[in-house]
Amino acid sequence: MKTEKYKSYAFGRYFEEFNVGDVFEHLPKKTITESDNNLFSLLTMNHHPIHLDIEYAKLSQHKQILVIGTLIFSLTVGLSVRDISGKAIANLSYDKIIHKHPVFINDTIKAKSTVLKKRKSKSKNDRGIIHIKTSAYNQKNKEVLTFERTILISKKNK
């Protein structure tokens, strides 16, 4: 595979293309299926019955299966890649992860990110660091998750 093929593929942004206060509404959205939740449960070895057993879940506060919070976190990061970290060298940190409301099977998740800070790298001229806050919302526009992350991103004009 030749990398020249992908040079014009618009995926992510360079450091110079971010400004403090920029807001990105990420598309597409994703509807969480029972299969998504079950597979994530199996992959991550989280076999708590609140995520897998409808009869157990009926006895709980919400009366239905809860989607695993780390699935919602991972999905939200993934939804933001095209706009935020597609040109990233590395995700340096994830901070302040807050699960605000439960997510259920068949909820549709959308995400939005805001640039909080931006600075040039102190050690290398070909990159910079951005600090982002990302929020996930369900189909009722209720904020279900927030987190911040710090990302090392390539500069376009090196």
Side-chain angles (χ1 to χ4, degrees):
M1 170 172 29
K2 294 187 175 188
T3 56
E4 294 83 31
K5 253 180 154 177
Y6 297 97
K7 284 187 178 179
S8 65
Y9 184 64
F11 197 80
R13 290 175 167 74
Y14 290 102
F15 176 74
E16 297 89 340
E17 297 173 299
F18 289 97
N19 296 297
V20 173
D22 284 352
V23 176
F24 301 94
E25 295 198 26
H26 309 298
L27 292 173
K29 299 179 264 185
K30 169 72 171 108
T31 301
I32 306 297
T33 66
E34 185 175 17
S35 295
D36 295 331
N37 193 55
N38 288 342
L39 180 57
F40 199 84
S41 294
L42 292 170
L43 288 172
T44 60
M45 300 293 290
N46 185 338
H47 301 136
H48 192 291
I50 195 69
H51 304 305
L52 301 168
D53 180 343
I54 188 65
E55 296 306 317
Y56 180 92
K58 284 178 183 177
L59 301 173
S60 72
Q61 173 186 354
H62 299 292
K63 311 289 187 226
Q64 58 186 311
I65 288 176
L66 294 177
V67 174
I68 296 174
T70 49
L71 169 55
I72 301 309
F73 171 71
S74 296
L75 172 64
T76 304
V77 170
L79 290 173
S80 72
V81 169
R82 178 175 296 279
D83 296 316
I84 302 299
S85 58
K87 301 243 187 291
I89 297 166
N91 285 299
L92 301 175
S93 70
Y94 293 93
D95 302 295
K96 301 179 185 173
I97 301 166
I98 302 170
H99 297 274
K100 295 188 163 197
H101 294 282
V103 175
F104 305 105
I105 304 296
N106 295 320
D107 278 357
T108 299
I109 302 301
K110 63 181 178 179
K112 178 173 75 171
S113 296
T114 303
V115 179
L116 301 177
K117 298 178 196 171
K118 173 182 173 175
R119 72 171 177 83
K120 295 177 183 176
S121 170
K122 294 174 183 169
S123 60
K124 297 190 178 181
N125 290 332
D126 66 340
R127 58 196 69 183
I129 297 170
I130 60 167
H131 188 80
I132 301 282
K133 179 178 181 182
T134 301
S135 297
Y137 301 86
N138 66 15
Q139 69 279 1
K140 297 174 184 171
N141 213 31
K142 183 177 251 185
E143 189 175 50
V144 296
L145 172 87
T146 62
F147 63 90
E148 294 181 18
R149 72 178 157 148
T150 303
I151 310 162
L152 185 64
I153 298 192
S154 295
K155 285 185 178 179
K156 188 174 189 175
N157 304 315
K158 299 175 186 179

